[in-house]
Each structure stands twice: as structure tokens, then as C-alpha cells.
Amino acid sequence: MSNAEKARTLFGISLSDRPKWQQFFICSSGFFFGYLVNGICEEYVYNRLHFSYGWYFTFIQGFVYLILIYLYGFTSKQMVNSWKTYVKLSAVLMGSHGLTKGSLAFLNYPAQIMFKSTKVLPVMLMGSFIPGLRRKYPIHEYVSAVLLVIGLILFTLADAQTSPNFSVIGVLMISGALIMDSFLGNLQEAIFTVNPQTTQMEMLFCSTLVGLPMLIPPMLFTGELFQAWTSCSQHLYVYGVLVFEAMATFIGQVSVLSLIALFGAATTAMITTARKAVTLLLSYLIFTKPMTEQHATGLLLIAMGISLKIFLDEKSNKKTSNSSPIVNIPKPSDHKELTPRLDYAGEDEERRPFV
């Protein structure tokens, strides 16, 4: 295990010296908590108060992130990457947040679910084009993702009270958010892969600080900055809700970055996609709501997709470990020849790049 891997932590909890299932559980728990609170706050602000200021709310969220990162103790002196590394990432991150939040004003819940549920597929496709990754996923990964997507759509639409309502502006906004999401996770994984010493706090700090000024032009162009300022000034408690949401989302966001660093962008996308189904399932178990055949079909497809990925990934890992070549150790009489070979191998290892 490298020094960089030993340093991978989540809010002071060491991750790299734990088994994979514990890493997965800790990171997923932080993610589920953060985005469950995020969903409740978004429901309140957008649907109850009818405030649809996606760019402005993302701007406020970014400022809260920076304050929390400062309180956590991270400074720019701890950076291991250049600022230039985060320019593209920041533009994609802020665009994704702003378009996703803004689309809530034009799409109802079922329509948004249908689009966001497909997120894992463009993430997998884009992974083969990102420099530093060039990932080639086996066919069972795509089959697993399709099963998960169809199952989630069936499950969530069965719970919807209305049919999907599509608006041209809303569709364009959510489609743009999906494209940016497909770049986002892969760019983050590429940075972690090329420089394993990169921490989650550095990535969130730099992408937020570089990205905040990028939100100002769309706010001025649409007039949202002044409208949001006026509306929120008349309802100051909205800022309290936004700050609370940002604090919870901060935990979720750092947990997602941990998942990307440890398990990759595609696996993380599958986890974030399945979150909504798990949240809805918990609500059914807690509040004892009746389940229909469509719910059961959706859950079955989700379970099939996840099981297929876990089983075949485990099988391929065993094959890889079993097919590892056995190194022939020279006899003691060859000691003179062994020493220069080892020295040469050591030099080779030092010259080998990260990717």
C-alpha cells in the first residue's frame, strides 16, 4: 500500500487500512445522510416556497463549503495539484449544480427522476474518452447499469401521483446537467488516479473557489441575482434552510469524492443512482405504505443489476489473482547475477508513471 493510500481518510476516519466493505459502508453512509437532508430541503424550498433560483442557491452553497473547509483546517498551502487542474472541473461542477437545481422549476418530480436515473450510463460512456482513464467496461457492467436504471424508473414512477410533465426548457437544462455529470465524475477520478496524494478537501476547495465566479455571469444574464436577493430578503429564514442544506450536502459531497477515489466514477454513479430507490423503500418500511406490482418489479430489477455487478466483479477479481504469473527465483548459485537484476528492476519501478 502506498503512502497516498494510507492517508485516505473521511472526516478523520481512516479508510485505506480497512476492508473494502467497511470503506464502502462508511462512505455510502455519509453520502446517504447528506443527500437525504438535501432532498428534504430542496423539496421545501422549491415546491413549498416556489423559489426556483438554482444558480443563486448554488452560489450560497459554495460559500458555505468554503467556510466549512476553512474550519476543517485545509488551506491552499496543502495543495498538491496546480490551480489549472481545477478550471475544467469547476466549470462542469457549477454548471451541473446550477442546471439541476434550475430544472426543478420546469420539470415535475417524475420527469426529473426519469432523466437523473440514467446518469450512470453517460458516466460509463464518457470514461472511455477522459485522458488519464480511458476505461473500457465489460459488457456485464452495461447490462447491470441498464437493469438498475429501468428498475429505478419503474419504482419511482409507481410512487408518483402525476405523469411526467415535460417542458422544453426543463429538458434542455436537465440534459445539460447529465452531460456535465458524465464529465464530472470521470474528471475527478482522473485527478485522483494521476496524483493519488490529492485529498477530497483539496478537490472540493479548489473546484468551489474557482467555480464561484463562473456563477455570476448566468445570474446577471438571467436577472436571477436581483430576483433571488429580493425574494430571500423578504424571507430571511430561507438562508437558514440553505445553510443547513449546504452543511449536510458538504458531508455527502466529501463522501462521494471518497467513493470516487476508492471505487471509481462508474461504481459511484451506480450508488448515487440507487440512492433514490433506497430512500423510497425506507419510507415504505417506516410508514407502512402499500406496495404495488410495479414497485416489486422495479426492486427486482434493481437487485438483479446490483447482484450482477457484485457477482461478476468478484469472479473477475478471483480470475485475475489466480492467473498472476509465478516469478522464478534464481538458485543461490546465481547470486552474482541476481543483484544487478534487482537493481535494474528497482530503477524501472521508479521510472514507471502513475498512469
Side-chain angles (χ1 to χ4, degrees):
M1 185 180 291
S2 66
N3 294 331
E5 287 175 332
K6 290 179 181 177
R8 187 70 62 195
T9 61
L10 178 61
F11 298 115
I13 302 173
S14 178
L15 295 174
S16 296
D17 58 354
R18 297 175 183 271
K20 284 290 184 183
W21 72 268
Q22 289 187 15
Q23 295 176 356
F24 182 84
F25 177 78
I26 293 171
C27 297
S28 298
S29 298
F31 162 71
F32 272 86
F33 167 76
Y35 281 91
L36 179 63
V37 175
N38 170 268
I40 294 171
C41 293
E42 281 190 349
E43 173 74 18
Y44 178 76
V45 172
Y46 283 93
N47 295 339
R48 298 289 179 86
L49 300 180
H50 302 289
F51 284 6
S52 55
Y53 308 120
W55 300 108
Y56 184 74
F57 290 166
T58 304
F59 193 73
I60 299 296
Q61 186 182 67
F63 268 108
V64 177
Y65 280 4
L66 293 178
I67 293 171
L68 292 174
I69 293 170
Y70 174 78
L71 294 175
Y72 188 81
F74 181 86
T75 63
S76 58
K77 294 179 181 179
Q78 301 172 28
M79 290 174 56
V80 296
N81 296 303
S82 65
W83 285 102
K84 186 173 69 172
T85 306
Y86 295 101
V87 174
K88 289 180 181 178
L89 182 65
S90 301
V92 170
L93 177 64
M94 293 303 166
S96 173
H97 283 337
L99 290 172
T100 299
K101 290 180 181 293
S103 68
L104 290 169
F106 302 96
L107 299 174
N108 64 356
Y109 178 74
Q112 192 194 43
I113 286 295
M114 288 185 66
F115 279 94
K116 294 298 285 184
S117 296
T118 64
K119 174 182 174 180
V120 63
L121 295 175
V123 168
M124 293 176 70
L125 292 172
M126 194 58 66
S128 60
F129 298 101
I130 297 294
L133 288 181
R134 304 292 185 186
R135 289 199 177 279
K136 300 294 183 183
Y137 295 98
I139 189 65
H140 79 264
E141 293 265 8
Y142 288 102
V143 174
S144 175
V146 170
L147 289 173
L148 181 65
V149 167
I150 296 174
L152 183 58
I153 291 175
L154 286 175
F155 188 88
T156 50
L157 290 185
D159 190 52
Q161 301 295 321
T162 57
S163 299
N165 181 27
F166 298 101
S167 161
V168 176
I169 297 177
V171 169
L172 291 175
M173 291 180 75
I174 200 67
S175 298
L178 279 175
I179 293 172
M180 291 189 176
D181 280 342
S182 69
F183 278 101
L184 180 60
N186 286 299
L187 286 174
Q188 290 168 333
E189 184 183 355
I191 293 172
F192 282 128
T193 302
V194 173
N195 193 344
Q197 295 180 354
T198 306
T199 63
Q200 301 95 305
M201 285 298 168
E202 175 184 330
M203 187 168 291
L204 189 58
F205 170 76
C206 295
S207 56
T208 302
L209 191 62
V210 174
L212 278 178
M214 299 179 183
L215 294 174
I216 297 176
M219 284 195 294
L220 293 175
F221 179 74
T222 60
E224 183 176 308
L225 177 61
F226 305 106
Q227 295 174 12
W229 177 266
T230 303
S231 299
C232 292
S233 298
Q234 297 171 357
H235 305 84
L236 292 176
Y237 63 90
V238 172
Y239 285 108
V241 177
L242 293 177
V243 170
F244 180 69
E245 177 192 356
M247 292 172 67
T249 310
F250 176 76
I251 297 174
Q253 189 64 46
V254 177
S255 300
V256 166
L257 291 174
S258 301
L259 284 168
I260 291 173
L262 294 168
F263 298 98
T267 300
T268 304
M270 292 187 73
I271 297 168
T272 57
T273 300
R275 171 185 63 91
K276 293 185 181 294
V278 174
T279 305
L280 286 172
L281 181 59
L282 287 175
S283 72
Y284 274 83
L285 295 175
I286 294 171
F287 299 107
T288 61
K289 299 179 184 178
M291 293 190 69
T292 64
E293 291 182 3
Q294 188 171 335
H295 286 109
T297 304
L299 282 176
L300 179 62
L301 290 174
I302 291 170
M304 287 172 61
I306 295 173
S307 301
L308 180 67
K309 176 174 173 55
I310 293 174
F311 175 75
L312 292 180
D313 279 356
E314 187 69 23
K315 194 174 179 180
S316 62
N317 288 338
K318 286 181 179 179
K319 280 185 179 179
T320 304
S321 60
N322 291 336
S323 61
S324 298
I326 300 174
V327 179
N328 293 322
I329 302 175
K331 296 178 182 179
S333 60
D334 296 334
H335 179 70
K336 292 181 180 179
E337 295 180 4
L338 177 60
T339 304
R341 284 179 192 169
L342 289 174
D343 291 341
Y344 180 78
E347 291 174 6
D348 236 11
E349 191 67 32
E350 290 177 358
R351 291 173 189 167
R352 189 176 299 167
F354 282 120
V355 180

